[in-house]
Amino acid sequence: MASVKLTKSRPIIFCIGGGIEGLPIIQKVDSLGYCPIVLDLSEYSPGFLWARSHPDRAMAWQCDAYNPRSVLSSVSRIWNHSRMTSEVVGALCCAVDAPDSQAILARKFRTPSIGMECAVPAKNKWVQYEWLKKHDIPVPPTKLVESHLVSEAN
């Protein structure tokens, strides 16, 4: 289990994804006065390593950012065994396509979100395409290559 210790009590923002493109977002969260908790499967991702190298103002917890169940399970397990008193003020996708993970954390901690209803079409591009087409929003001709992926997303 992750070690949970903060020397400064700052509002928390869960930063979903710790890749190289997300690192500047994580660092901006920190510079704005929030405590970024980086959620990533790889403990070697740049954001995860950065958070671990700044234990006085950031944390990193391992979970599959693209799997909302993994995110919720890992965060709940660690959160419930911590003594953290800081308020969670948000969950943010940091250069990852994981709006469903963001929505599930936002629901748990009662923070702003696009919600699950919007997260599914935001993540599943075929569902998004069908929604746009249904609402007469122009979309280029598109072809579904692997139909089994649509049923897995719903």
Side-chain angles (χ1 to χ4, degrees), residues 13-149:
I13 294 182
F14 289 105
C15 294
I16 304 167
I20 191 68
E21 292 174 333
L23 181 59
I25 299 168
I26 295 162
Q27 291 169 327
K28 185 66 172 182
V29 166
D30 172 56
S31 72
L32 290 171
Y34 298 98
C35 171
I37 298 181
V38 179
L39 306 174
D40 200 284
L41 188 59
S42 173
E43 59 187 300
Y44 301 105
S45 68
F48 205 100
L49 293 172
W50 179 86
R52 286 275 170 95
S53 69
H54 297 87
D56 58 327
R57 47 187 225 251
M59 288 183 269
W61 298 352
Q62 198 169 16
C63 64
D64 181 356
Y66 295 102
N67 180 336
R69 288 184 187 136
S70 172
V71 169
L72 185 60
S73 172
S74 295
V75 168
S76 295
R77 185 183 71 249
I78 296 168
W79 187 265
N80 294 340
H81 290 93
S82 74
R83 293 189 181 120
M84 295 193 332
T85 58
S86 296
E87 178 186 10
V88 175
V89 295
L92 180 65
C93 290
C94 296
V96 296
D97 195 10
D100 46 353
S101 294
Q102 186 279 336
I104 207 163
L105 282 178
R107 182 172 51 199
K108 176 177 176 56
F109 291 98
R110 296 182 175 96
T111 63
S113 172
I114 64 169
M116 287 303 287
E117 184 178 317
C118 293
V120 170
K123 184 173 184 175
N124 184 304
K125 301 312 176 208
W126 181 254
V127 172
Q128 185 180 92
Y129 167 78
E130 288 184 325
W131 187 93
L132 292 169
K133 192 172 179 183
K134 176 180 158 187
H135 291 86
D136 296 321
I137 298 171
V139 290
T142 304
K143 178 180 169 184
L144 182 62
V145 179
E146 296 183 41
S147 62
H148 71 279
L149 296 176

